[in-house]
Amino acid sequence: MPARILQQPTPELYPILGIEPRTPEGRNAVVAVVARDHNGQDLPADWSYSLAWFLDLYGSATEAGRLDGALAECATHMIALGTGEGEAAAPVEDIGYALWRCSRSPKLIGDLRRESLR
């Protein structure tokens, strides 16, 4: 896994490797993930959820703009899941998966709560 993480920094792998937020290794992880996001190549379809969760936990004020962008992408994706009706409605599995991905980020949870109370 350590060799793979150097080739394609994936947010979910850093905690598995024991790399903690707010440490020098954690800072290096943020730099690597942000660089991969900036390049935009070979990103999974649900990358915005991974990025939002990761920057929420590992990032600093320096990455606030990128975090806000990832949160906006997550919101756009969630809105798109809820726009269809009847045959065009998103499968419940897709909605459940998106909600599960959202639940990993405290900031994203807060944003969803605020939106649902409106």
mmCIF file of all heavy atoms in Angstrom, residues 46-89:
data_model
loop_
_atom_site.group_PDB
_atom_site.id
_atom_site.type_symbol
_atom_site.label_atom_id
_atom_site.label_comp_id
_atom_site.label_asym_id
_atom_site.label_seq_id
_atom_site.Cartn_x
_atom_site.Cartn_y
_atom_site.Cartn_z
ATOM 1 N N ASP A 46 -16.495 9.498 -7.371
ATOM 2 C CA ASP A 46 -16.895 10.057 -6.077
ATOM 3 C C ASP A 46 -15.744 10.780 -5.370
ATOM 4 O O ASP A 46 -15.719 10.905 -4.157
ATOM 5 C CB ASP A 46 -17.489 8.978 -5.179
ATOM 6 C CG ASP A 46 -16.537 7.814 -4.948
ATOM 7 O OD1 ASP A 46 -15.454 7.778 -5.578
ATOM 8 O OD2 ASP A 46 -16.876 6.929 -4.150
ATOM 9 N N TRP A 47 -14.803 11.282 -6.140
ATOM 10 C CA TRP A 47 -13.622 11.951 -5.597
ATOM 11 C C TRP A 47 -13.984 13.133 -4.700
ATOM 12 O O TRP A 47 -13.347 13.352 -3.676
ATOM 13 C CB TRP A 47 -12.719 12.407 -6.740
ATOM 14 C CG TRP A 47 -11.519 13.182 -6.290
ATOM 15 C CD1 TRP A 47 -11.362 14.533 -6.316
ATOM 16 C CD2 TRP A 47 -10.314 12.657 -5.728
ATOM 17 N NE1 TRP A 47 -10.126 14.884 -5.822
ATOM 18 C CE2 TRP A 47 -9.458 13.746 -5.449
ATOM 19 C CE3 TRP A 47 -9.860 11.381 -5.428
ATOM 20 C CZ2 TRP A 47 -8.193 13.595 -4.892
ATOM 21 C CZ3 TRP A 47 -8.592 11.235 -4.876
ATOM 22 C CH2 TRP A 47 -7.782 12.324 -4.615
ATOM 23 N N SER A 48 -15.005 13.897 -5.069
ATOM 24 C CA SER A 48 -15.334 15.089 -4.281
ATOM 25 C C SER A 48 -15.682 14.716 -2.842
ATOM 26 O O SER A 48 -15.344 15.447 -1.918
ATOM 27 C CB SER A 48 -16.468 15.884 -4.922
ATOM 28 O OG SER A 48 -17.646 15.122 -5.016
ATOM 29 N N TYR A 49 -16.333 13.579 -2.627
ATOM 30 C CA TYR A 49 -16.632 13.135 -1.268
ATOM 31 C C TYR A 49 -15.354 12.796 -0.509
ATOM 32 O O TYR A 49 -15.195 13.142 0.654
ATOM 33 C CB TYR A 49 -17.562 11.923 -1.273
ATOM 34 C CG TYR A 49 -18.939 12.217 -1.788
ATOM 35 C CD1 TYR A 49 -19.335 11.785 -3.044
ATOM 36 C CD2 TYR A 49 -19.856 12.921 -1.011
ATOM 37 C CE1 TYR A 49 -20.611 12.048 -3.524
ATOM 38 C CE2 TYR A 49 -21.127 13.193 -1.480
ATOM 39 C CZ TYR A 49 -21.495 12.755 -2.743
ATOM 40 O OH TYR A 49 -22.759 13.020 -3.220
ATOM 41 N N SER A 50 -14.443 12.096 -1.182
ATOM 42 C CA SER A 50 -13.163 11.752 -0.556
ATOM 43 C C SER A 50 -12.370 13.000 -0.219
ATOM 44 O O SER A 50 -11.802 13.115 0.870
ATOM 45 C CB SER A 50 -12.326 10.866 -1.490
ATOM 46 O OG SER A 50 -12.959 9.644 -1.725
ATOM 47 N N LEU A 51 -12.335 13.927 -1.153
ATOM 48 C CA LEU A 51 -11.572 15.156 -0.950
ATOM 49 C C LEU A 51 -12.169 15.991 0.186
ATOM 50 O O LEU A 51 -11.438 16.488 1.044
ATOM 51 C CB LEU A 51 -11.514 15.971 -2.245
ATOM 52 C CG LEU A 51 -10.636 17.209 -2.223
ATOM 53 C CD1 LEU A 51 -9.176 16.848 -1.978
ATOM 54 C CD2 LEU A 51 -10.779 17.974 -3.529
ATOM 55 N N ALA A 52 -13.489 16.119 0.212
ATOM 56 C CA ALA A 52 -14.142 16.891 1.271
ATOM 57 C C ALA A 52 -13.860 16.278 2.639
ATOM 58 O O ALA A 52 -13.487 16.987 3.586
ATOM 59 C CB ALA A 52 -15.645 16.969 1.025
ATOM 60 N N TRP A 53 -14.020 14.985 2.745
ATOM 61 C CA TRP A 53 -13.762 14.299 4.016
ATOM 62 C C TRP A 53 -12.312 14.487 4.443
ATOM 63 O O TRP A 53 -12.023 14.835 5.583
ATOM 64 C CB TRP A 53 -14.084 12.812 3.867
ATOM 65 C CG TRP A 53 -13.486 11.964 4.931
ATOM 66 C CD1 TRP A 53 -13.924 11.839 6.219
ATOM 67 C CD2 TRP A 53 -12.321 11.152 4.820
ATOM 68 N NE1 TRP A 53 -13.099 10.987 6.906
ATOM 69 C CE2 TRP A 53 -12.107 10.558 6.064
ATOM 70 C CE3 TRP A 53 -11.436 10.866 3.789
ATOM 71 C CZ2 TRP A 53 -11.049 9.689 6.316
ATOM 72 C CZ3 TRP A 53 -10.389 10.020 4.022
ATOM 73 C CH2 TRP A 53 -10.196 9.433 5.273
ATOM 74 N N PHE A 54 -11.393 14.276 3.503
ATOM 75 C CA PHE A 54 -9.966 14.346 3.812
ATOM 76 C C PHE A 54 -9.544 15.748 4.227
ATOM 77 O O PHE A 54 -8.876 15.928 5.244
ATOM 78 C CB PHE A 54 -9.165 13.868 2.599
ATOM 79 C CG PHE A 54 -7.692 13.779 2.859
ATOM 80 C CD1 PHE A 54 -7.178 12.745 3.616
ATOM 81 C CD2 PHE A 54 -6.826 14.728 2.344
ATOM 82 C CE1 PHE A 54 -5.817 12.652 3.856
ATOM 83 C CE2 PHE A 54 -5.465 14.642 2.574
ATOM 84 C CZ PHE A 54 -4.962 13.601 3.332
ATOM 85 N N LEU A 55 -9.938 16.747 3.451
ATOM 86 C CA LEU A 55 -9.546 18.112 3.788
ATOM 87 C C LEU A 55 -10.226 18.595 5.065
ATOM 88 O O LEU A 55 -9.655 19.391 5.805
ATOM 89 C CB LEU A 55 -9.845 19.054 2.625
ATOM 90 C CG LEU A 55 -8.988 18.854 1.382
ATOM 91 C CD1 LEU A 55 -9.407 19.830 0.290
ATOM 92 C CD2 LEU A 55 -7.511 19.002 1.699
ATOM 93 N N ASP A 56 -11.422 18.110 5.325
ATOM 94 C CA ASP A 56 -12.109 18.456 6.562
ATOM 95 C C ASP A 56 -11.315 17.970 7.768
ATOM 96 O O ASP A 56 -11.195 18.668 8.771
ATOM 97 C CB ASP A 56 -13.509 17.836 6.557
ATOM 98 C CG ASP A 56 -14.433 18.413 7.605
ATOM 99 O OD1 ASP A 56 -14.071 19.410 8.258
ATOM 100 O OD2 ASP A 56 -15.542 17.872 7.765
ATOM 101 N N LEU A 57 -10.747 16.772 7.670
ATOM 102 C CA LEU A 57 -10.001 16.203 8.788
ATOM 103 C C LEU A 57 -8.518 16.557 8.787
ATOM 104 O O LEU A 57 -7.929 16.797 9.835
ATOM 105 C CB LEU A 57 -10.153 14.678 8.796
ATOM 106 C CG LEU A 57 -11.574 14.162 8.985
ATOM 107 C CD1 LEU A 57 -11.599 12.652 8.892
ATOM 108 C CD2 LEU A 57 -12.150 14.623 10.309
ATOM 109 N N TYR A 58 -7.892 16.582 7.632
ATOM 110 C CA TYR A 58 -6.446 16.753 7.534
ATOM 111 C C TYR A 58 -6.026 18.169 7.135
ATOM 112 O O TYR A 58 -4.896 18.558 7.388
ATOM 113 C CB TYR A 58 -5.867 15.782 6.490
ATOM 114 C CG TYR A 58 -5.702 14.369 6.970
ATOM 115 C CD1 TYR A 58 -6.794 13.537 7.143
ATOM 116 C CD2 TYR A 58 -4.441 13.840 7.235
ATOM 117 C CE1 TYR A 58 -6.647 12.229 7.564
ATOM 118 C CE2 TYR A 58 -4.276 12.534 7.652
ATOM 119 C CZ TYR A 58 -5.392 11.729 7.822
ATOM 120 O OH TYR A 58 -5.234 10.435 8.236
ATOM 121 N N GLY A 59 -6.907 18.895 6.482
ATOM 122 C CA GLY A 59 -6.530 20.190 5.929
ATOM 123 C C GLY A 59 -6.429 21.287 6.976
ATOM 124 O O GLY A 59 -6.766 21.120 8.143
ATOM 125 N N SER A 60 -5.955 22.423 6.514
ATOM 126 C CA SER A 60 -5.832 23.608 7.356
ATOM 127 C C SER A 60 -6.545 24.759 6.642
ATOM 128 O O SER A 60 -7.160 24.571 5.597
ATOM 129 C CB SER A 60 -4.355 23.946 7.573
ATOM 130 O OG SER A 60 -3.755 24.329 6.344
ATOM 131 N N ALA A 61 -6.424 25.938 7.195
ATOM 132 C CA ALA A 61 -7.042 27.117 6.580
ATOM 133 C C ALA A 61 -6.506 27.345 5.168
ATOM 134 O O ALA A 61 -7.191 27.924 4.319
ATOM 135 C CB ALA A 61 -6.809 28.338 7.449
ATOM 136 N N THR A 62 -5.317 26.874 4.899
ATOM 137 C CA THR A 62 -4.714 27.012 3.571
ATOM 138 C C THR A 62 -5.564 26.337 2.497
ATOM 139 O O THR A 62 -5.654 26.821 1.377
ATOM 140 C CB THR A 62 -3.291 26.401 3.566
ATOM 141 O OG1 THR A 62 -2.536 27.003 4.606
ATOM 142 C CG2 THR A 62 -2.600 26.589 2.246
ATOM 143 N N GLU A 63 -6.190 25.231 2.841
ATOM 144 C CA GLU A 63 -6.991 24.474 1.875
ATOM 145 C C GLU A 63 -8.483 24.802 1.947
ATOM 146 O O GLU A 63 -9.301 24.104 1.342
ATOM 147 C CB GLU A 63 -6.811 22.962 2.096
ATOM 148 C CG GLU A 63 -5.443 22.438 1.766
ATOM 149 C CD GLU A 63 -4.438 22.682 2.883
ATOM 150 O OE1 GLU A 63 -4.819 22.664 4.063
ATOM 151 O OE2 GLU A 63 -3.265 22.922 2.561
ATOM 152 N N ALA A 64 -8.865 25.844 2.652
ATOM 153 C CA ALA A 64 -10.284 26.174 2.839
ATOM 154 C C ALA A 64 -11.009 26.366 1.506
ATOM 155 O O ALA A 64 -12.135 25.895 1.339
ATOM 156 C CB ALA A 64 -10.438 27.410 3.712
ATOM 157 N N GLY A 65 -10.384 27.029 0.564
ATOM 158 C CA GLY A 65 -11.003 27.241 -0.746
ATOM 159 C C GLY A 65 -11.239 25.940 -1.479
ATOM 160 O O GLY A 65 -12.304 25.727 -2.074
ATOM 161 N N ARG A 66 -10.263 25.059 -1.433
ATOM 162 C CA ARG A 66 -10.406 23.758 -2.103
ATOM 163 C C ARG A 66 -11.471 22.920 -1.393
ATOM 164 O O ARG A 66 -12.248 22.223 -2.032
ATOM 165 C CB ARG A 66 -9.075 23.025 -2.141
ATOM 166 C CG ARG A 66 -9.144 21.843 -3.061
ATOM 167 C CD ARG A 66 -7.825 21.366 -3.553
ATOM 168 N NE ARG A 66 -6.929 22.353 -4.080
ATOM 169 C CZ ARG A 66 -6.610 22.472 -5.359
ATOM 170 N NH1 ARG A 66 -7.149 21.695 -6.246
ATOM 171 N NH2 ARG A 66 -5.743 23.355 -5.751
ATOM 172 N N LEU A 67 -11.529 22.994 -0.063
ATOM 173 C CA LEU A 67 -12.563 22.284 0.694
ATOM 174 C C LEU A 67 -13.945 22.798 0.311
ATOM 175 O O LEU A 67 -14.863 22.016 0.062
ATOM 176 C CB LEU A 67 -12.334 22.433 2.199
ATOM 177 C CG LEU A 67 -13.434 21.879 3.117
ATOM 178 C CD1 LEU A 67 -13.674 20.397 2.878
ATOM 179 C CD2 LEU A 67 -13.088 22.150 4.574
ATOM 180 N N ASP A 68 -14.094 24.107 0.229
ATOM 181 C CA ASP A 68 -15.386 24.683 -0.164
ATOM 182 C C ASP A 68 -15.800 24.218 -1.559
ATOM 183 O O ASP A 68 -16.968 23.930 -1.808
ATOM 184 C CB ASP A 68 -15.337 26.210 -0.106
ATOM 185 C CG ASP A 68 -15.268 26.733 1.319
ATOM 186 O OD1 ASP A 68 -15.580 25.973 2.260
ATOM 187 O OD2 ASP A 68 -14.872 27.912 1.486
ATOM 188 N N GLY A 69 -14.834 24.123 -2.464
ATOM 189 C CA GLY A 69 -15.127 23.633 -3.814
ATOM 190 C C GLY A 69 -15.584 22.184 -3.802
ATOM 191 O O GLY A 69 -16.533 21.817 -4.503
ATOM 192 N N ALA A 70 -14.920 21.353 -3.001
ATOM 193 C CA ALA A 70 -15.312 19.943 -2.899
ATOM 194 C C ALA A 70 -16.696 19.819 -2.277
ATOM 195 O O ALA A 70 -17.518 19.008 -2.724
ATOM 196 C CB ALA A 70 -14.284 19.165 -2.081
ATOM 197 N N LEU A 71 -16.979 20.637 -1.269
ATOM 198 C CA LEU A 71 -18.301 20.615 -0.647
ATOM 199 C C LEU A 71 -19.376 21.030 -1.640
ATOM 200 O O LEU A 71 -20.467 20.446 -1.669
ATOM 201 C CB LEU A 71 -18.326 21.528 0.579
ATOM 202 C CG LEU A 71 -17.465 21.085 1.763
ATOM 203 C CD1 LEU A 71 -17.406 22.176 2.818
ATOM 204 C CD2 LEU A 71 -17.965 19.783 2.351
ATOM 205 N N ALA A 72 -19.084 22.018 -2.475
ATOM 206 C CA ALA A 72 -20.042 22.456 -3.502
ATOM 207 C C ALA A 72 -20.293 21.344 -4.518
ATOM 208 O O ALA A 72 -21.433 21.132 -4.950
ATOM 209 C CB ALA A 72 -19.535 23.718 -4.193
ATOM 210 N N GLU A 73 -19.239 20.613 -4.906
ATOM 211 C CA GLU A 73 -19.415 19.484 -5.832
ATOM 212 C C GLU A 73 -20.283 18.397 -5.208
ATOM 213 O O GLU A 73 -21.142 17.819 -5.887
ATOM 214 C CB GLU A 73 -18.063 18.894 -6.218
ATOM 215 C CG GLU A 73 -17.297 19.716 -7.222
ATOM 216 C CD GLU A 73 -15.984 19.046 -7.600
ATOM 217 O OE1 GLU A 73 -16.005 17.822 -7.878
ATOM 218 O OE2 GLU A 73 -14.963 19.734 -7.601
ATOM 219 N N CYS A 74 -20.065 18.126 -3.920
ATOM 220 C CA CYS A 74 -20.885 17.131 -3.226
ATOM 221 C C CYS A 74 -22.343 17.572 -3.216
ATOM 222 O O CYS A 74 -23.245 16.766 -3.468
ATOM 223 C CB CYS A 74 -20.396 16.926 -1.791
ATOM 224 S SG CYS A 74 -18.776 16.161 -1.658
ATOM 225 N N ALA A 75 -22.581 18.838 -2.919
ATOM 226 C CA ALA A 75 -23.954 19.364 -2.890
ATOM 227 C C ALA A 75 -24.604 19.251 -4.260
ATOM 228 O O ALA A 75 -25.768 18.845 -4.374
ATOM 229 C CB ALA A 75 -23.946 20.813 -2.407
ATOM 230 N N THR A 76 -23.866 19.580 -5.303
ATOM 231 C CA THR A 76 -24.392 19.479 -6.664
ATOM 232 C C THR A 76 -24.770 18.038 -6.990
ATOM 233 O O THR A 76 -25.823 17.771 -7.578
ATOM 234 C CB THR A 76 -23.364 20.010 -7.679
ATOM 235 O OG1 THR A 76 -23.091 21.378 -7.366
ATOM 236 C CG2 THR A 76 -23.851 19.887 -9.102
ATOM 237 N N HIS A 77 -23.909 17.110 -6.595
ATOM 238 C CA HIS A 77 -24.180 15.699 -6.837
ATOM 239 C C HIS A 77 -25.422 15.250 -6.069
ATOM 240 O O HIS A 77 -26.283 14.552 -6.605
ATOM 241 C CB HIS A 77 -22.968 14.850 -6.440
ATOM 242 C CG HIS A 77 -23.148 13.411 -6.715
ATOM 243 N ND1 HIS A 77 -23.382 12.494 -5.721
ATOM 244 C CD2 HIS A 77 -23.165 12.717 -7.877
ATOM 245 C CE1 HIS A 77 -23.521 11.304 -6.253
ATOM 246 N NE2 HIS A 77 -23.394 11.406 -7.566
ATOM 247 N N MET A 78 -25.545 15.673 -4.805
ATOM 248 C CA MET A 78 -26.703 15.297 -3.993
ATOM 249 C C MET A 78 -27.991 15.873 -4.589
ATOM 250 O O MET A 78 -29.018 15.200 -4.626
ATOM 251 C CB MET A 78 -26.530 15.772 -2.552
ATOM 252 C CG MET A 78 -25.431 15.067 -1.785
ATOM 253 S SD MET A 78 -25.783 13.338 -1.473
ATOM 254 C CE MET A 78 -27.174 13.464 -0.370
ATOM 255 N N ILE A 79 -27.941 17.108 -5.042
ATOM 256 C CA ILE A 79 -29.118 17.734 -5.654
ATOM 257 C C ILE A 79 -29.529 16.969 -6.906
ATOM 258 O O ILE A 79 -30.710 16.714 -7.139
ATOM 259 C CB ILE A 79 -28.844 19.220 -5.960
ATOM 260 C CG1 ILE A 79 -28.764 20.001 -4.653
ATOM 261 C CG2 ILE A 79 -29.911 19.802 -6.872
ATOM 262 C CD1 ILE A 79 -28.198 21.406 -4.795
ATOM 263 N N ALA A 80 -28.545 16.573 -7.714
ATOM 264 C CA ALA A 80 -28.844 15.822 -8.935
ATOM 265 C C ALA A 80 -29.511 14.481 -8.614
ATOM 266 O O ALA A 80 -30.385 14.028 -9.360
ATOM 267 C CB ALA A 80 -27.568 15.601 -9.735
ATOM 268 N N LEU A 81 -29.118 13.868 -7.516
ATOM 269 C CA LEU A 81 -29.738 12.595 -7.132
ATOM 270 C C LEU A 81 -31.210 12.773 -6.766
ATOM 271 O O LEU A 81 -32.003 11.850 -6.924
ATOM 272 C CB LEU A 81 -28.996 11.972 -5.945
ATOM 273 C CG LEU A 81 -27.623 11.385 -6.234
ATOM 274 C CD1 LEU A 81 -26.945 10.965 -4.934
ATOM 275 C CD2 LEU A 81 -27.720 10.205 -7.188
ATOM 276 N N GLY A 82 -31.563 13.945 -6.294
ATOM 277 C CA GLY A 82 -32.927 14.170 -5.849
ATOM 278 C C GLY A 82 -33.844 14.813 -6.864
ATOM 279 O O GLY A 82 -34.996 15.112 -6.546
ATOM 280 N N THR A 83 -33.389 15.045 -8.077
ATOM 281 C CA THR A 83 -34.214 15.767 -9.054
ATOM 282 C C THR A 83 -35.143 14.879 -9.861
ATOM 283 O O THR A 83 -36.149 15.351 -10.363
ATOM 284 C CB THR A 83 -33.335 16.570 -10.033
ATOM 285 O OG1 THR A 83 -32.443 15.684 -10.691
ATOM 286 C CG2 THR A 83 -32.584 17.665 -9.318
ATOM 287 N N GLY A 84 -34.846 13.625 -10.006
ATOM 288 C CA GLY A 84 -35.672 12.758 -10.845
ATOM 289 C C GLY A 84 -36.923 12.268 -10.139
ATOM 290 O O GLY A 84 -36.990 12.196 -8.920
ATOM 291 N N GLU A 85 -37.915 11.925 -10.943
ATOM 292 C CA GLU A 85 -39.158 11.362 -10.417
ATOM 293 C C GLU A 85 -39.518 10.128 -11.223
ATOM 294 O O GLU A 85 -39.181 10.020 -12.403
ATOM 295 C CB GLU A 85 -40.292 12.386 -10.503
ATOM 296 C CG GLU A 85 -40.124 13.565 -9.563
ATOM 297 C CD GLU A 85 -41.328 14.488 -9.606
ATOM 298 O OE1 GLU A 85 -42.436 14.023 -9.895
ATOM 299 O OE2 GLU A 85 -41.125 15.679 -9.359
ATOM 300 N N GLY A 86 -40.214 9.210 -10.601
ATOM 301 C CA GLY A 86 -40.653 7.995 -11.287
ATOM 302 C C GLY A 86 -39.482 7.183 -11.792
ATOM 303 O O GLY A 86 -38.572 6.847 -11.050
ATOM 304 N N GLU A 87 -39.502 6.898 -13.085
ATOM 305 C CA GLU A 87 -38.446 6.101 -13.706
ATOM 306 C C GLU A 87 -37.091 6.814 -13.690
ATOM 307 O O GLU A 87 -36.046 6.176 -13.687
ATOM 308 C CB GLU A 87 -38.817 5.772 -15.161
ATOM 309 C CG GLU A 87 -40.011 4.877 -15.309
ATOM 310 C CD GLU A 87 -39.677 3.434 -15.000
ATOM 311 O OE1 GLU A 87 -38.564 2.995 -15.311
ATOM 312 O OE2 GLU A 87 -40.558 2.739 -14.455
ATOM 313 N N ALA A 88 -37.108 8.154 -13.690
ATOM 314 C CA ALA A 88 -35.866 8.924 -13.732
ATOM 315 C C ALA A 88 -35.244 9.110 -12.346
ATOM 316 O O ALA A 88 -34.168 9.655 -12.229
ATOM 317 C CB ALA A 88 -36.124 10.295 -14.354
ATOM 318 N N ALA A 89 -35.928 8.652 -11.299
ATOM 319 C CA ALA A 89 -35.410 8.820 -9.936
ATOM 320 C C ALA A 89 -34.143 7.996 -9.742
ATOM 321 O O ALA A 89 -34.000 6.902 -10.300
ATOM 322 C CB ALA A 89 -36.463 8.398 -8.919
#
